[in-house]
Every structure is written in structure tokens, then in C-alpha cells.
Amino acid sequence: METTFKISNLDLYYGEKQALKAINLDIYRNQVTAFIGPSGCGKSTLLRCLNRMNDLTENCRIEGQILYNDANINDINPILLRTQVGMVFQNPNPFPMSIFENVAYGPRCHGLKDKKKLEEIVITSLKKAGLYEEVKDRLKENALGLSGGQQQRLCIARTIAMEPDIILMDEPTSALDPIATLKIEQLIAELKKDYTIIIVTHNMQQASRISDYTVFFLMGEVIEFNRTISLFKNPKKKKTEDYITGRFG
């Protein structure tokens, strides 16, 4: 299977504290990969390495290598990398502007001025994010008037508008109710036809429902990485079994 990211011997330090230890991992194209593990185990830290968000963190030092489509990510302009590797955060963060302008924002920033093309991108992105039918008559309204679940799908549309290759999701449903969560999960299943998705989740049921591969982290280390069905039904490591059966975490 084709890999998008190849992570080799990755160590990450915040000052003296080591947060990630000897991570070796392949992320496969057009698959959903879930990162699970207790709080503070390194899931989000590794996710932020993949689009160089940790570059913005003071006292952060990274050793080892991450290849993205066979290129070292440190050799890629971080702004270009972040258009290819989009990110959706834990809490919906729409800009305080219209629904239309939220989605058009990225393409506009990259110099697109053609109104017709912008409109096409906005409509296509909203459709892919499963939001268009709900908002098509209110595109000029402020995005902050949307419900939490709609705001999160708008943030996904905003990411899609940049035509990324990968979508990173950092607990995208933790602030949402069960119905909004279900919509996002259904959306993820749809989006993987066009994108590679990596999702950090505290919810093991969610990981087992939506992901093709699962990585179990503990104290900054990858304990186990396997196809989701195998990891949940037949974990190879006792620590994995203890975590997924609720003995700790």
C-alpha cells in the first residue's frame, strides 16, 4: 500500500522533557488512521509534527525524520506543507465572517481573485463537507450563527477548499453532541475516497467505527500499530489489551 508519511526514529523534546520516543510509523494513502491512548501520551504532539505546527512551539526540538511523499518535511516550505496537510482542530474555529468568506479565505490568500472560480470552490467544498444543503440560502450570514456541528463541518470545508492531500483531525468531535458526531463520522468515511485522514480521538468506539488503521500510544511511545479490526479484536501487546478493555487509561 502506498505511504504518504514515513516516520523514522522520531524523538521530540519540550526543553528537557521527552514527549515522543523513537516513533517509527507509516501512514497509508486514502486510509483513515486513528491515534488512540490516554491523555498526554503524545497523540496530538505527533499529529502536529506532520504539518510542522510544532515549529511554532518554543523550546521544541525534534530528532529523526518524517518523509512526506518521499520528501523530508523540513525541506518543504511550512506554508506550502500546511496547504497540502490541512488541519481541523478540537473546537470549531470559524472566522467571524460569512459562511462563504470562511471557505473562500484560503484560496483568496493564495491569490485567487476569479469570482466564478471562488464560487465553484466554495460550493464544491461545502458539498464535500456535507453542509451545502443546510446553508445554501445563508452563505452571506455570519458563520458564528451556525450550530457547533455545522461550524466543525464548515472548518472541514475550509480545509478542503485548499485542495489538500491529507486532513489531520485533532479530536474533531469531542465538543459535539452525538448527532453532530455521527454526521462527522459519516463524512470521514466519505472523505477518505479523496483524502488521507489521520484522526486523534479519545473515543475508542469511534476509532473502531471509522478507522482502517489504529496506533496505540502510551507515554510518548507507539505500543502497537495495526489494522483497526486486528488491534481491537486481537491485540498483540498486553498494554494494548489492558487499555482497550478499560483496565487503565
Side-chain angles (χ1 to χ4, degrees), residues 119-180:
E119 198 170 314
E120 270 173 35
I121 288 170
V122 169
I123 291 170
T124 303
S125 303
L126 287 169
K127 281 181 176 173
K128 281 190 174 182
L131 189 58
Y132 182 69
E133 288 303 319
E134 293 168 47
V135 301
K136 64 184 179 187
D137 299 325
R138 39 197 293 221
L139 294 177
K140 291 182 177 168
E141 289 179 23
N142 194 310
L144 300 180
L146 296 172
S147 71
Q150 288 173 324
Q151 286 187 11
Q152 193 63 299
R153 280 182 284 144
L154 179 65
C155 293
I156 292 170
R158 195 172 67 195
T159 301
I160 289 170
M162 295 305 297
E163 298 181 348
D165 179 30
I166 318 269
I167 300 176
L168 308 178
M169 296 185 167
D170 194 358
E171 295 191 57
T173 62
S174 65
L176 305 180
D177 63 55
I179 291 166

Side-chain angles (χ1 to χ4, degrees), residues 32-231:
V32 178
T33 302
F35 290 178
I36 65 167
S39 291
C41 67
K43 309 181 294 289
S44 293
T45 300
L46 182 61
L47 195 76
R48 290 166 64 88
C49 288
L50 300 176
N51 66 349
R52 291 182 54 185
M53 289 280 280
N54 287 316
D55 290 15
L56 309 171
T57 307
E58 222 176 307
N59 292 329
C60 180
R61 187 173 93 255
I62 299 171
E63 296 169 1
Q65 180 176 264
I66 301 176
L67 297 181
Y68 166 56
N69 293 341
D70 297 328
N72 189 315
I73 64 166
N74 291 328
D75 298 333
I76 303 171
N77 177 306
I79 294 166
L80 181 64
L81 180 68
R82 288 175 202 139
T83 61
Q84 288 297 292
V85 185
M87 190 154 189
V88 176
F89 295 91
Q90 184 170 356
N91 290 307
N93 60 345
F95 304 136
M97 51 178 73
S98 74
I99 294 166
F100 184 95
E101 288 302 332
N102 261 274
V103 184
Y105 183 84
R108 271 197 212 282
C109 284
H110 280 74
L112 184 62
K113 293 187 173 72
D114 183 326
K115 281 187 176 172
K116 196 163 186 296
K117 185 75 179 128
L118 273 173
E119 198 170 314
E120 270 173 35
I121 288 170
V122 169
I123 291 170
T124 303
S125 303
L126 287 169
K127 281 181 176 173
K128 281 190 174 182
L131 189 58
Y132 182 69
E133 288 303 319
E134 293 168 47
V135 301
K136 64 184 179 187
D137 299 325
R138 39 197 293 221
L139 294 177
K140 291 182 177 168
E141 289 179 23
N142 194 310
L144 300 180
L146 296 172
S147 71
Q150 288 173 324
Q151 286 187 11
Q152 193 63 299
R153 280 182 284 144
L154 179 65
C155 293
I156 292 170
R158 195 172 67 195
T159 301
I160 289 170
M162 295 305 297
E163 298 181 348
D165 179 30
I166 318 269
I167 300 176
L168 308 178
M169 296 185 167
D170 194 358
E171 295 191 57
T173 62
S174 65
L176 305 180
D177 63 55
I179 291 166
T181 295
L182 179 63
K183 282 189 173 170
I184 300 272
E185 289 184 4
Q186 289 169 337
L187 179 58
I188 288 168
E190 200 60 34
L191 289 174
K192 77 171 184 181
K193 295 171 191 164
D194 298 315
Y195 309 96
T196 301
I197 296 172
I198 306 165
I199 179 169
V200 167
T201 177
H202 267 115
N203 184 328
M204 280 184 286
Q205 287 75 25
Q206 182 173 73
S208 68
R209 281 195 300 267
I210 66 170
S211 68
D212 303 290
Y213 286 86
T214 297
V215 188
F216 170 52
F217 289 83
L218 193 60
M219 299 179 75
E221 295 181 74
V222 170
I223 303 299
E224 190 163 342
F225 169 54
N226 207 340
R227 284 192 173 277
T228 297
I229 194 159
S230 303
L231 187 136

